[in-house]
Amino acid sequence: MSTIREVADRAGVSVATVSRTLQQPDRVSPKTRVRVQEAIDHLGYKPNLMAVKFRSGKTQVLVALVPTVANVFFARVIKGMQEAAASQGYSLLLMNTMGNDEIERNCAKLVDTSQADGVIQLRAFNPFAPDQFQSEALLPMVNACEIVDDARFPTVTLDNRAAAKAMTEHLISLGHRRIAMVKGPQSSPLTRDRLAGYEDALKAAGLSIDESLLCAGDFTLASGYRAATTLLSLPNRPTAIFCENDEMAMGAMRKVREAGLSIPGDISIAGFDNIAFSAYAEPPLTTIAQPAEEFGETAVNLLIDVLNGKTKRAIKVILPFEVITRQSTGPAPTTANL
């Protein structure tokens, strides 16, 4: 069997550099990493990774807490996390937590027991106990997507309020005055911020907020369908429905079609997330695009920086959004067509 010394000699580097490439590849130049990897491949070197991790005090494992892997948007975030983790020599332990506080607290204990180095949380909940780490230090965690403001860990987010305001303004620009909103779970900060953006746009346009046009949802297809059922039963139904995610928008679209109404001729429908299915809906869905894979990539890179001491502040990264206009939204119907 080849040795680490033979790998170092063939790559023309020191043993310490080979060890660093295996343990902390982000601290080695790409050119050097390639040389070391080529030497490893040529010699068939098999490092004792358990010994490497024991000596370094690191597991090279990150835990990702995902409220539900069934959500298409989260699937894209996971893809970004996996690719970023692999590129820096880390493994990703994926936990489908169902938004359960106790499950997430138990997952966070993996860091305490040296089974993982850090946590990426995609929900607005801090799973670490108050006394788990020194109060002045950053927690080994990054909170992404649905965030809670905390001075002890970095966050990666979108300006959800501004994005919802922009979509509502788009609908207003098409002449819509009765614009319904299908909200997400009441406990979610996303729901709060997107509702606030919707209200900002209505107020700026001099439009009143009609509580009958606000429907509760839970980010699922079924809740979008149920909300549309309620909205279509109103004596004065809306001319546009803005859903806080694409899945609810697609559920609403199905109900509207079942009712014999056209989209967007009778009712315009807009979503949020720009999941892959949105471009293939019938008609294609107008939505807010947010960079899901970049959420995952940014969160992993930030967490590794925290673990390596490169980031010592609870910085907030705000990613960009874009209004994607497609055929599901159009001019408001005239009174004669209602």
Side-chain angles (χ1 to χ4, degrees), residues 155-159 316-320:
T155 55
V156 186
T157 187
L158 189 88
D159 190 338
K316 177 182 283 189
V317 177
I318 300 177
L319 298 179

Side-chain angles (χ1 to χ4, degrees), residues 12 24 47 59 84 99 110 120 147 158 179 200 216 233 235 312 329:
Q24 297 175 296
T59 66
L110 293 174
I120 297 170
I147 68 167
L158 189 88
I179 303 170
D200 289 344
S233 69
K312 300 183 183 297
T329 54

Side-chain angles (χ1 to χ4, degrees), residues 1-11 36-46:
M1 293 179 64
S2 57
T3 66
I4 192 171
R5 166 60 65 186
E6 291 172 323
V7 171
D9 290 344
R10 183 172 183 83
V36 171
Q37 189 59 53
E38 287 176 345
I40 288 172
D41 293 342
H42 179 81
L43 295 168
Y45 175 63
K46 299 292 190 294

Side-chain angles (χ1 to χ4, degrees), residues 299-334:
V300 165
N301 291 337
L302 265 179
L303 179 56
I304 292 173
D305 282 348
V306 169
L307 298 176
N308 291 334
K310 293 181 179 179
T311 296
K312 300 183 183 297
R313 297 182 300 110
I315 62 176
K316 177 182 283 189
V317 177
I318 300 177
L319 298 179
F321 67 85
E322 181 182 1
V323 177
I324 306 294
T325 56
R326 298 192 180 108
Q327 288 73 43
S328 69
T329 54
T334 62

Side-chain angles (χ1 to χ4, degrees), residues 236-312:
N236 185 13
R237 70 174 187 243
T239 63
I241 301 175
F242 176 22
C243 299
E244 289 195 7
N245 82 336
D246 288 348
E247 290 192 43
M248 292 194 298
M250 291 177 191
M253 291 172 80
R254 175 170 177 172
K255 178 59 187 179
V256 170
R257 287 195 299 270
E258 287 181 356
L261 300 172
S262 70
I263 306 169
D266 296 312
I267 296 182
S268 288
I269 297 183
F272 201 116
D273 285 342
N274 195 34
I275 63 175
F277 299 139
S278 64
Y280 298 93
E282 183 53 45
L285 181 65
T286 292
T287 186
I288 295 288
Q290 52 177 335
E293 289 84 2
E294 192 175 345
F295 269 104
E297 177 186 351
T298 304
V300 165
N301 291 337
L302 265 179
L303 179 56
I304 292 173
D305 282 348
V306 169
L307 298 176
N308 291 334
K310 293 181 179 179
T311 296
K312 300 183 183 297

Side-chain angles (χ1 to χ4, degrees), residues 115-131:
Q115 297 177 74
D117 295 333
V119 169
I120 297 170
Q121 167 66 293
L122 302 187
R123 190 170 75 96
F125 175 70
N126 180 356
F128 288 102
D131 59 349

